[in-house]
Amino acid sequence: MLVRGERVTRATLTWFVYSAVELRRMAEEAGFGRVEVFGGFDGRPYDESAERLVLRAVREA
């Protein structure tokens, strides 16, 4: 909710959290190949200590 003077604006945010398995499946179902999952932008493995989830996929022509 944002209130500015007499004006009130309400918004709703929907947030989806996907696992690496779900993201890989969605990418493959969308036609992407060579789907890879990493735990950082430097290519480190995605595991329980990963700082982030990075997915790289190539759209086959």
Side-chain angles (χ1 to χ4, degrees):
M1 180 182 301
L2 175 64
V3 179
R4 287 191 177 165
E6 298 296 317
R7 184 174 167 191
V8 177
T9 305
R10 291 179 176 83
T12 301
L13 174 67
T14 303
W15 192 281
F16 296 94
V17 178
Y18 296 103
S19 70
V21 172
E22 292 170 309
L23 288 171
R24 178 187 294 274
R25 187 192 74 237
M26 287 188 285
E28 290 170 347
E29 288 176 356
F32 287 89
R34 296 189 316 189
V35 179
E36 299 172 279
V37 177
F38 303 100
F41 291 110
D42 59 358
R44 73 184 69 176
Y46 180 72
D47 58 20
E48 68 279 351
S49 63
E51 295 177 11
R52 58 183 43 91
L53 189 160
V54 177
L55 184 132
R56 177 172 62 193
V58 176
R59 181 73 180 216
E60 303 296 336

